[in-house]
């Protein structure tokens, strides 16, 4: 489960067996979890996050999307 980034208590990561899916990132903080597609950026799901946290997550993803995609491609190449 490669972790890409820890930011403001959020952990951004992907699972090592998900290379058959489109590029995406998982997010965890405490008991909350989420998944966001990266091309194009679109939330697959959020469970346990507040609406404010969801907006914050999407803002962070937009700021780091190039890094997330690069790490995904490096890992699955």
């Amino acid at each position: 489960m490669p972790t890409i980034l820890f930011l403001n208590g959020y952990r951004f990561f992907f699972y090592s067996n998900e290379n058959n899916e489109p590029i995406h990132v998982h997010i965890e903080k405490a008991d909350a979890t989420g998944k966001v597609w990266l091309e194009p950026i679109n939330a697959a799901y959020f469970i346990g996050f507040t609406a404010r946290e969801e907006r914050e997550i999407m803002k962070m993803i937009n700021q780091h999307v190039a890094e997330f995609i690069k790490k995904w491609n490096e890992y699955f190449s």
Side-chain angles (χ1 to χ4, degrees):
M1 206 177 336
T3 296
I4 304 167
L5 180 68
F6 280 105
L7 187 61
N8 298 337
Y10 297 98
R11 176 175 171 242
F12 296 85
F13 66 98
F14 55 84
Y15 291 100
S16 59
N17 64 344
E18 293 187 320
N19 60 322
N20 60 337
E21 292 189 35
I23 298 174
H24 64 277
V25 66
H26 293 268
I27 307 94
E28 287 182 342
K29 185 175 183 181
D31 292 332
T33 187
K35 179 177 179 178
V36 176
W37 305 111
L38 299 179
E39 291 182 322
I41 297 172
N42 188 28
Y45 63 82
F46 286 118
I47 301 169
F49 290 113
T50 66
R52 180 176 173 251
E53 289 173 319
E54 291 177 15
R55 288 190 301 274
E56 184 178 7
I57 290 166
M58 295 305 283
K59 182 178 179 181
M60 288 185 280
I61 288 174
N62 276 289
Q63 292 170 341
H64 296 277
V65 67
E67 176 185 353
F68 294 161
I69 291 170
K70 179 181 178 206
K71 294 288 186 182
W72 176 283
N73 288 328
E74 287 173 356
Y75 189 84
F76 289 115
S77 296

